[in-house]
Amino acid sequence: MTEDDVLAEFRAAEALLEGHFILSSGLRSSRYLQCARVLMDPARGARLSEALVASIPAELRAQIDIVVSPAMGGVIAGHEMGRALGVEAVFLERPDGVFELRRGFRLAPGQRVLMMEDVVTTGLSSREAIAAIGRAGGVTVAAAALVDRSNGTADLGVPFFPLIRLDVPTYPADALPAELAAIPAIKPGSRAAA
């Protein structure tokens, strides 16, 4: 899939949004790719995950025993990657603010993991997920995401494979450009679509 093909999938799902968005990092942006909308169609999710799997070198793919993703946004993306790779997929939760495996999920000592996100902006939650995988006994061999919004700055400490890189400027809330400050801010996913 080309970048245009991927963006066409997001547009078809009405998942490429424009406005004033509060990202999970707290930063603000004028564009947002709503991965939940693009993944609500299982066929579309399958196409995107299969394209992402194809971008990972074969020798690295062969090392992956399991996919682990952070809840909430990474759950469907991680499940689709597990399906595309032919391996199990589990997810991490933060019941007390720190990622951990729950629901009877566990990793065998040394189990090789692909950590899968929907979107990476600063990389903080990805690094926290990778740390949790290590605490659970797994070894993260690579990370992947549908969207890399980091403008190339996210260092996850492992090879990182995004399906698409969306280089859109982000701003702290107290340093917004005038055109963004003039639009009410919304937190994607926190309200029903209009």
Side-chain angles (χ1 to χ4, degrees):
M1 274 186 147
T2 67
E3 182 174 314
D4 287 340
D5 293 334
V6 173
L7 286 174
E9 293 281 7
F10 275 83
R11 284 186 186 101
E14 298 178 5
L16 179 55
L17 310 176
E18 300 209 359
H20 180 177
F21 303 102
I22 303 170
L23 307 176
S24 61
S25 64
L27 296 173
R28 308 296 181 93
S29 176
S30 63
R31 290 179 84 191
Y32 188 81
L33 289 178
Q34 181 57 272
C35 291
R37 278 203 58 85
V38 82
L39 292 171
M40 66 189 239
D41 176 349
R44 182 174 285 121
R47 286 191 299 273
L48 294 173
S49 61
E50 288 163 7
L52 182 50
V53 165
S55 76
I56 299 172
E59 63 276 4
L60 186 54
R61 283 195 314 259
Q63 294 177 35
I64 298 167
D65 299 320
I66 192 167
V67 175
V68 177
S69 56
M72 188 67 209
V75 173
I76 296 172
H79 186 268
E80 283 298 319
M81 282 299 283
R83 185 201 50 73
L85 286 163
V87 300
E88 291 181 331
V90 299
F91 55 89
L92 300 161
E93 297 176 80
R94 288 192 232 225
D96 298 310
V98 177
F99 280 129
E100 63 182 83
L101 290 171
R102 298 174 45 117
R103 302 172 194 265
F105 294 152
R106 62 183 144 281
L107 297 174
Q111 193 168 18
R112 296 166 303 187
V113 175
L114 172 71
M115 193 286 301
M116 179 66 190
E117 282 268 28
D118 57 346
V119 179
V120 171
T121 300
T122 65
L124 177 61
S125 67
S126 298
R127 290 187 299 275
E128 290 172 348
I130 290 168
I133 290 164
R135 289 191 304 274
V139 176
T140 303
V141 296
L146 292 177
V147 180
D148 176 9
R149 291 186 46 103
S150 76
N151 296 321
T153 63
D155 180 2
L156 307 184
V158 296
F160 177 43
F161 300 92
L163 182 58
I164 188 171
R165 294 183 193 278
L166 184 65
D167 294 331
V168 176
T170 56
Y171 308 94
D174 61 355
L176 298 174
E179 64 275 8
L180 205 54
I183 304 170
I186 61 168
K187 190 168 187 174
S190 64
R191 297 182 185 185

